[in-house]
Amino acid sequence: MIPYCSICWDVDKVKLLDQRRLPAEELYLEITDYHEVIEAIRTLAIRGAPAIGVAAAMGAALGALDLDTQNPGEFLSRFEKICAEIAQARPTAVNLFWALDRMQRLAQAQAGEPVAAIKARLVAEAQTMLKEDDTTNRRMAQAGQVLIHDGQRVLTHCNTGALATGAYGTALGVLRAAWEGGKRFSVWVDETRPLLQGARLTTWELGKLGIPYTLIPDGAAATLMHQGKVDLVILGADRIAANGDTANKIGTYSVAVLAHHHGIPFYVTAPLSTFDFSIPNGDHIPVEERDAEEVTHLWGQAVAPAGAPALNLAFDVTPNNLIAGIVTEKGIMEPPFSSSLKPYRPTQE
Ligand code: MRU
C-alpha cells in the first residue's frame, strides 16, 4: 500500500497533495472553495490528466455546496457557470472537460429533485469518479504488464503514477503491476523540463515502489537508445484524438521519433476518459502555452538573461504512426487505431 494519495474528498472539503512542493515536502492542501481548486489545477499543485479530471469534479461539487438557492432552476444555471469557470483552468487534458460534462449531465438529470438532493448526488458522483479511476488504472495496469519483461530497461517521460491519477497510475501503474507480479527491470526517468515532473515526482514514486531507476536529462535519451540501453518506452497521455494521435508532456514527440529511429517500441497508456473522439486527429488538440518564466527561471532563480524571450509549450502531439500500441482499461489497442478504437466511441458520436 502506498502511503499517499493525490486527492480525496474529506467530509465537506477536498484534500490534495501539493505536488509543487514534492519531493522536498509532503504537504496536503485542504480546500473548501472551488476557486482554490482552479488555482491548484492551474499552478500544478494537482496535475496529470486523470487527477485533473477528479479535481475538476470535486471542485464542481464544492461549488455546488456553496450555492445558496433552493430553486432547482437557478441552482442548475449557477452550477453551469461554475463548471464553465473550472473548464478554463487548463486546456489540454480532456479529462477535465469529460469530468465536468459528467457532473453537469448528472445535475440536469436531477432537475426535478430538491437542491439539497442534487448537491448530495454531485458530491457522491465526484467520489465515485475517484474510485472508478482507481479501478480503471488497475485494469490498464493488468492489461499493460504483459509488455514488461525481466531485464528490460524502460524509458518514461513526465509523471504518470498515483500522483497523476486518482490512484495507482497509468504508465507507472503498468510498471507497478509488472513489478508486483515479480518481473525485474529498471527505468530511465526523463527529468522532463521545464517543470521536472520526472525528476521530482516519478523518481519519488518509483523510490516508494522500490523499482530501480536512473534519472537522466531529457537530451540523454538519444544516446542511450543508440547504445542499445533502452528496450521499451511507455508513458501517458493528456488527450488522444480518434485516430490515435496523442498529446502528452512536451518532449514526448521527440522521444517517439527517437524510439522509431532506433526500432524501440513506443507505448502510450491512458484510460478511455483521455480519448477525444470528437476530433479526427491531433491537429485539433489545444496545446497549452504556459508562462515563459517557467523556462527562464528555476524555482524563482533566473537561468537565462533578464528579458530573454522563451516559448513554453506544455504539451506536444505524437502522430499515431509512431505509436506501437495504446494501453487502456479495455486492453491494448493496436494500429490502425481508428479501427481498434471504434467499439469504444461513444454511441451518440
Ligand atoms: O503538465 P502536467 O504535469 O499535468 O502533464 C502531465 C502529463 O503530461 C502526463 O504525462 C499525462 O497527464 C499522463 S498522466 C497519467
Side-chain angles (χ1 to χ4, degrees), residues 44 47-50 52 90 157-160 164-165 170 197 236-238 248-249 315:
L44 274 60
R47 44 142 305 277
I52 288 173
R90 292 186 78 187
H157 190 74
C158 198
N159 171 263
T160 60
T165 61
T170 59
Q197 287 91 333
D238 287 84
N248 191 50
K249 179 54 54 196
F315 301 94

Side-chain angles (χ1 to χ4, degrees), residues 323-341:
I323 301 171
I326 307 177
V327 182
T328 74
E329 67 269 38
K330 299 289 183 189
I332 303 177
M333 304 294 145
E334 285 174 1
F337 298 112
S338 17
S339 309
S340 54
L341 290 169

Side-chain angles (χ1 to χ4, degrees), residues 258-287:
L258 288 172
H260 190 252
H261 179 77
H262 292 93
I264 297 163
F266 177 96
Y267 282 91
V268 170
T269 308
L272 290 173
S273 54
T274 300
F275 287 75
D276 184 352
F277 290 103
S278 73
I279 54 172
N281 58 55
D283 293 343
H284 301 264
I285 298 177
V287 171

Side-chain angles (χ1 to χ4, degrees), residues 19 41 44 46-52 90 92-93 95 133 137 140 156-166 169-172 192 195-197 200-201 235-239 247-250 252 268-271 274 288 290 294 314-316:
Q19 298 187 32
I41 295 173
L44 274 60
I46 181 127
R47 44 142 305 277
I52 288 173
R90 292 186 78 187
T92 304
N95 307 60
D133 193 52
N137 290 340
M140 277 193 296
T156 195
H157 190 74
C158 198
N159 171 263
T160 60
L163 287 173
T165 61
T170 59
L172 276 203
T192 318
L195 294 182
L196 304 176
Q197 287 91 333
R200 297 186 302 109
L201 309 176
L235 38 69
D238 287 84
R239 189 186 295 229
N248 191 50
K249 179 54 54 196
I250 192 79
T252 299
V268 170
T269 308
T274 300
E288 177 182 16
R290 296 182 62 83
E294 290 178 352
F315 301 94
D316 58 26

